[in-house]
Amino acid sequence: MADFRGSAAWYGFDNRWNAGEPSPQPFFEFSDGSWTSRESLSTPESSTGNSQQLGQFTVLSWNIDMMRKLETPRMKGALAYLCTRVDEKTEPPIIMLNEMISSHLDLMQSTGWIQEKYYMTDITSANWKGGTYGELQTDT
């Protein structure tokens, strides 16, 4: 029997995407009690027919570090902190989380403030290069 440990097959790589090349991916919106795939959002048009420019925005980035112990309590702590950074008076920031594991996606999907205010780029690890860990972006 062949030993696949350490190979792309071992890590779950299946060439869904290639580094440096565009790879279309849906994003998800919480609606009517479940996360639904969206293809795109309509862009607001001005009276001249041109797309409106975005104003200022904030990006919060956090490396969750899936290799450390107690990954679920650490993720819950990260989400609790990030919730304090989402201010009702301003546009919610774009949140980028790195080195997540698939159970973190389940936790995020069940978090009320994320359901209410954010889209998610992933609800499963299907679009991650390998099944072990990946990155996620939330956006309003």
Side-chain angles (χ1 to χ4, degrees):
M1 177 178 270
D3 184 0
F4 291 105
R5 285 177 288 183
S7 70
W10 173 261
Y11 291 110
F13 295 178
D14 65 1
N15 298 321
R16 275 178 275 234
W17 56 268
N18 295 309
E21 295 179 15
S23 178
Q25 176 181 333
F27 63 99
F28 300 86
E29 172 183 36
F30 191 78
S31 178
D32 298 324
S34 65
W35 289 92
T36 306
S37 176
R38 295 285 305 261
E39 291 299 321
S40 66
L41 293 176
S42 46
T43 304
E45 300 289 328
S46 68
S47 59
T48 62
N50 295 327
S51 296
Q52 294 177 354
Q53 293 184 353
L54 293 175
Q56 292 183 333
F57 61 92
T58 302
V59 176
L60 299 175
S61 179
W62 194 316
N63 186 338
I64 301 300
D65 192 1
M66 59 88 183
M67 301 282 289
R68 305 271 318 240
K69 293 182 180 181
L70 303 172
E71 56 276 342
T72 299
R74 285 187 303 102
M75 182 62 171
K76 287 181 179 180
L79 291 176
Y81 174 77
L82 290 169
C83 181
T84 68
R85 306 297 299 173
V86 177
D87 188 339
E88 294 288 333
K89 299 173 191 152
T90 62
E91 286 294 319
I94 296 168
I95 300 172
M96 300 178 73
L97 301 175
N98 305 302
E99 291 195 27
M100 294 177 51
I101 55 176
S102 59
S103 63
H104 294 156
L105 295 173
D106 297 333
L107 184 58
M108 291 185 69
Q109 290 176 67
S110 65
T111 301
W113 63 270
I114 293 174
Q115 293 173 349
E116 293 170 17
K117 299 179 181 186
Y118 284 91
Y119 298 101
M120 291 178 59
T121 57
D122 292 289
I123 59 171
T124 71
S125 60
N127 285 312
W128 292 356
K129 181 68 173 178
T132 308
Y133 74 97
E135 293 75 36
L136 174 114
Q137 178 179 331
T138 61
D139 197 351
T140 58

